[in-house]
Short mmCIF file of all heavy atoms in Angstrom, two decimals:
data_model
loop_
_atom_site.label_atom_id
_atom_site.label_comp_id
_atom_site.label_asym_id
_atom_site.label_seq_id
_atom_site.Cartn_x
_atom_site.Cartn_y
_atom_site.Cartn_z
N HIS A 1 -127.14 -37.55 151.48
CA HIS A 1 -126.39 -37.34 150.24
C HIS A 1 -126.73 -38.31 149.16
O HIS A 1 -126.54 -37.96 147.92
CB HIS A 1 -124.86 -37.46 150.55
CG HIS A 1 -124.37 -36.28 151.35
ND1 HIS A 1 -123.91 -35.21 150.67
CD2 HIS A 1 -124.20 -36.09 152.57
CE1 HIS A 1 -123.47 -34.32 151.62
NE2 HIS A 1 -123.69 -34.88 152.76
N SER A 2 -127.39 -39.37 149.50
CA SER A 2 -127.80 -40.30 148.38
C SER A 2 -128.79 -39.67 147.48
O SER A 2 -128.80 -39.88 146.25
CB SER A 2 -128.37 -41.63 149.01
OG SER A 2 -129.67 -41.39 149.64
N ARG A 3 -129.61 -38.72 148.03
CA ARG A 3 -130.62 -38.05 147.17
C ARG A 3 -129.96 -37.18 146.13
O ARG A 3 -130.33 -37.26 144.95
CB ARG A 3 -131.51 -37.25 148.10
CG ARG A 3 -132.62 -36.58 147.36
CD ARG A 3 -133.57 -35.90 148.39
NE ARG A 3 -132.99 -34.90 149.16
CZ ARG A 3 -133.15 -33.58 149.00
NH1 ARG A 3 -133.78 -33.18 147.90
NH2 ARG A 3 -132.47 -32.76 149.79
N ILE A 4 -128.94 -36.45 146.48
CA ILE A 4 -128.27 -35.52 145.62
C ILE A 4 -127.46 -36.37 144.59
O ILE A 4 -127.59 -36.09 143.38
CB ILE A 4 -127.39 -34.53 146.32
CG1 ILE A 4 -128.17 -33.59 147.20
CG2 ILE A 4 -126.48 -33.76 145.26
CD1 ILE A 4 -127.31 -32.75 148.12
N ALA A 5 -126.82 -37.36 145.11
CA ALA A 5 -125.95 -38.16 144.14
C ALA A 5 -126.90 -38.84 143.16
O ALA A 5 -126.44 -38.91 141.96
CB ALA A 5 -125.16 -39.20 144.98
N ARG A 6 -127.99 -39.36 143.50
CA ARG A 6 -128.90 -40.08 142.64
C ARG A 6 -129.42 -39.04 141.61
O ARG A 6 -129.53 -39.40 140.41
CB ARG A 6 -130.07 -40.67 143.38
CG ARG A 6 -131.00 -41.44 142.61
CD ARG A 6 -132.05 -42.28 143.42
NE ARG A 6 -132.67 -41.45 144.46
CZ ARG A 6 -132.44 -41.66 145.76
NH1 ARG A 6 -131.58 -42.58 146.21
NH2 ARG A 6 -133.07 -40.90 146.74
N VAL A 7 -129.75 -37.88 141.97
CA VAL A 7 -130.30 -36.93 141.03
C VAL A 7 -129.20 -36.54 140.01
O VAL A 7 -129.49 -36.47 138.74
CB VAL A 7 -130.86 -35.63 141.74
CG1 VAL A 7 -131.11 -34.55 140.79
CG2 VAL A 7 -132.07 -36.03 142.51
N ILE A 8 -128.02 -36.20 140.49
CA ILE A 8 -127.03 -35.76 139.49
C ILE A 8 -126.53 -36.86 138.65
O ILE A 8 -126.31 -36.65 137.41
CB ILE A 8 -125.76 -35.01 140.16
CG1 ILE A 8 -125.04 -36.01 141.03
CG2 ILE A 8 -126.29 -33.83 141.00
CD1 ILE A 8 -123.77 -35.31 141.68
N ALA A 9 -126.53 -38.16 139.12
CA ALA A 9 -126.19 -39.23 138.30
C ALA A 9 -127.15 -39.53 137.24
O ALA A 9 -126.96 -39.74 136.04
CB ALA A 9 -125.93 -40.59 139.15
N THR A 10 -128.49 -39.57 137.63
CA THR A 10 -129.62 -39.77 136.71
C THR A 10 -129.66 -38.75 135.69
O THR A 10 -129.97 -38.94 134.55
CB THR A 10 -130.88 -39.81 137.55
OG1 THR A 10 -130.85 -40.82 138.40
CG2 THR A 10 -132.11 -40.06 136.59
N ALA A 11 -129.28 -37.51 136.09
CA ALA A 11 -129.35 -36.30 135.12
C ALA A 11 -128.14 -36.33 134.10
O ALA A 11 -128.11 -35.56 133.18
CB ALA A 11 -129.52 -35.02 135.79
N GLY A 12 -127.16 -37.29 134.48
CA GLY A 12 -126.03 -37.42 133.55
C GLY A 12 -124.88 -36.38 133.86
O GLY A 12 -123.98 -36.30 133.04
N TYR A 13 -124.87 -35.78 135.08
CA TYR A 13 -123.81 -34.92 135.38
C TYR A 13 -122.53 -35.75 135.45
O TYR A 13 -122.50 -36.76 136.19
CB TYR A 13 -124.08 -34.19 136.76
CG TYR A 13 -122.96 -33.32 137.11
CD1 TYR A 13 -122.79 -32.00 136.56
CD2 TYR A 13 -122.03 -33.74 138.09
CE1 TYR A 13 -121.68 -31.30 136.97
CE2 TYR A 13 -121.02 -32.87 138.59
CZ TYR A 13 -120.76 -31.74 137.95
OH TYR A 13 -119.85 -30.89 138.33
N ASP A 14 -121.47 -35.33 134.83
CA ASP A 14 -120.22 -35.97 134.93
C ASP A 14 -119.04 -35.09 135.20
O ASP A 14 -117.84 -35.36 134.97
CB ASP A 14 -119.94 -36.79 133.66
CG ASP A 14 -119.78 -35.95 132.45
OD1 ASP A 14 -119.96 -34.69 132.48
OD2 ASP A 14 -119.50 -36.49 131.33
N GLY A 15 -119.29 -33.96 135.84
CA GLY A 15 -118.27 -33.01 136.16
C GLY A 15 -117.65 -33.28 137.54
O GLY A 15 -117.95 -34.25 138.18
N TRP A 16 -116.96 -32.18 138.00
CA TRP A 16 -116.28 -32.28 139.30
C TRP A 16 -117.23 -32.16 140.46
O TRP A 16 -118.25 -31.44 140.42
CB TRP A 16 -115.29 -31.17 139.40
CG TRP A 16 -114.04 -31.35 138.47
CD1 TRP A 16 -113.90 -30.87 137.25
CD2 TRP A 16 -112.93 -32.11 138.77
NE1 TRP A 16 -112.69 -31.15 136.79
CE2 TRP A 16 -112.05 -31.93 137.68
CE3 TRP A 16 -112.50 -32.79 139.93
CZ2 TRP A 16 -110.84 -32.66 137.60
CZ3 TRP A 16 -111.33 -33.50 139.84
CH2 TRP A 16 -110.45 -33.40 138.71
N CYS A 17 -116.95 -32.89 141.47
CA CYS A 17 -117.64 -32.83 142.76
C CYS A 17 -116.62 -32.81 143.83
O CYS A 17 -115.74 -33.64 143.99
CB CYS A 17 -118.49 -34.02 142.90
SG CYS A 17 -119.52 -34.01 144.43
N SER A 18 -116.62 -31.67 144.55
CA SER A 18 -115.55 -31.54 145.60
C SER A 18 -116.18 -31.39 147.00
O SER A 18 -117.33 -31.07 147.15
CB SER A 18 -114.79 -30.18 145.35
OG SER A 18 -115.59 -29.09 145.43
N VAL A 19 -115.36 -31.72 147.99
CA VAL A 19 -115.78 -31.72 149.41
C VAL A 19 -115.66 -30.23 149.80
O VAL A 19 -114.55 -29.61 149.60
CB VAL A 19 -114.95 -32.61 150.26
CG1 VAL A 19 -115.22 -32.48 151.78
CG2 VAL A 19 -115.14 -34.12 149.90
N GLU A 20 -116.71 -29.76 150.55
CA GLU A 20 -116.50 -28.33 151.07
C GLU A 20 -116.95 -28.43 152.55
O GLU A 20 -118.07 -28.81 152.93
CB GLU A 20 -117.45 -27.42 150.34
CG GLU A 20 -117.40 -25.96 150.87
CD GLU A 20 -118.37 -25.06 150.27
OE1 GLU A 20 -119.51 -25.43 149.91
OE2 GLU A 20 -118.01 -23.78 150.06
N MET A 21 -116.02 -28.11 153.35
CA MET A 21 -116.24 -28.23 154.81
C MET A 21 -115.23 -27.30 155.56
O MET A 21 -114.15 -27.16 155.05
CB MET A 21 -116.34 -29.70 155.44
CG MET A 21 -114.98 -30.38 155.24
SD MET A 21 -115.19 -32.13 155.79
CE MET A 21 -113.57 -32.75 155.71
N ARG A 22 -115.69 -26.91 156.70
CA ARG A 22 -114.74 -26.13 157.60
C ARG A 22 -113.82 -27.08 158.26
O ARG A 22 -114.06 -28.25 158.54
CB ARG A 22 -115.53 -25.37 158.64
CG ARG A 22 -116.32 -24.30 158.07
CD ARG A 22 -116.83 -23.40 159.24
NE ARG A 22 -117.90 -22.38 158.75
CZ ARG A 22 -117.50 -21.29 158.08
NH1 ARG A 22 -116.31 -20.94 157.84
NH2 ARG A 22 -118.54 -20.51 157.71
N SER A 23 -112.57 -26.50 158.56
CA SER A 23 -111.66 -27.25 159.32
C SER A 23 -112.13 -27.47 160.75
O SER A 23 -112.66 -26.57 161.37
CB SER A 23 -110.22 -26.45 159.39
OG SER A 23 -109.35 -27.18 160.12
N GLN A 24 -111.85 -28.63 161.28
CA GLN A 24 -112.16 -29.01 162.65
C GLN A 24 -110.96 -29.62 163.38
O GLN A 24 -110.02 -29.93 162.68
CB GLN A 24 -113.35 -30.02 162.70
CG GLN A 24 -114.58 -29.56 161.89
CD GLN A 24 -115.44 -28.60 162.84
OE1 GLN A 24 -115.39 -28.75 164.04
NE2 GLN A 24 -116.11 -27.70 162.20
N GLU A 25 -111.02 -29.76 164.68
CA GLU A 25 -109.84 -30.27 165.32
C GLU A 25 -109.44 -31.72 164.85
O GLU A 25 -108.41 -31.97 164.64
CB GLU A 25 -110.20 -30.45 166.85
CG GLU A 25 -108.94 -30.71 167.62
CD GLU A 25 -109.27 -30.53 169.15
OE1 GLU A 25 -109.88 -29.54 169.48
OE2 GLU A 25 -108.93 -31.54 169.89
N ASP A 26 -110.50 -32.61 164.61
CA ASP A 26 -110.27 -33.96 164.12
C ASP A 26 -110.22 -34.02 162.63
O ASP A 26 -110.96 -34.61 161.99
CB ASP A 26 -111.26 -34.94 164.73
CG ASP A 26 -110.98 -36.40 164.22
OD1 ASP A 26 -109.86 -36.64 163.93
OD2 ASP A 26 -111.89 -37.18 164.28
N TRP A 27 -109.31 -33.22 161.98
CA TRP A 27 -109.28 -33.01 160.53
C TRP A 27 -109.05 -34.38 159.80
O TRP A 27 -109.62 -34.63 158.77
CB TRP A 27 -108.40 -31.90 160.06
CG TRP A 27 -106.95 -32.23 160.26
CD1 TRP A 27 -106.18 -31.78 161.42
CD2 TRP A 27 -106.02 -32.77 159.33
NE1 TRP A 27 -104.94 -32.29 161.19
CE2 TRP A 27 -104.84 -32.78 159.98
CE3 TRP A 27 -106.21 -33.39 158.07
CZ2 TRP A 27 -103.74 -33.44 159.35
CZ3 TRP A 27 -105.18 -33.94 157.47
CH2 TRP A 27 -103.86 -33.99 158.04
N THR A 28 -108.25 -35.16 160.38
CA THR A 28 -107.91 -36.44 159.60
C THR A 28 -109.07 -37.34 159.76
O THR A 28 -109.51 -37.99 158.72
CB THR A 28 -106.70 -37.17 160.23
OG1 THR A 28 -106.85 -37.41 161.68
CG2 THR A 28 -105.46 -36.39 160.05
N GLY A 29 -109.83 -37.48 160.83
CA GLY A 29 -110.95 -38.31 160.98
C GLY A 29 -112.09 -37.74 160.03
O GLY A 29 -112.81 -38.50 159.37
N ASN A 30 -112.23 -36.47 160.09
CA ASN A 30 -113.25 -35.80 159.07
C ASN A 30 -112.98 -36.03 157.67
O ASN A 30 -113.89 -36.34 156.83
CB ASN A 30 -113.40 -34.31 159.39
CG ASN A 30 -114.03 -34.08 160.76
OD1 ASN A 30 -114.85 -34.84 161.30
ND2 ASN A 30 -113.60 -32.95 161.41
#
């Protein structure tokens, strides 16, 4: 994820970034 974060920060992106993942049994830990 550091690669994506670095690219979007360097390019000046300042919009929303949301977590997208499926529900799992250990949802609080995830």
Side-chain angles (χ1 to χ4, degrees):
H1 287 272
S2 68
R3 181 172 64 99
I4 296 173
R6 185 172 44 251
V7 169
I8 65 175
T10 301
Y13 177 77
D14 64 354
W16 289 96
C17 182
S18 64
V19 172
E20 182 185 35
M21 61 186 185
R22 290 192 191 280
S23 178
Q24 301 282 330
E25 189 172 315
D26 181 21
W27 67 270
T28 57
N30 290 331

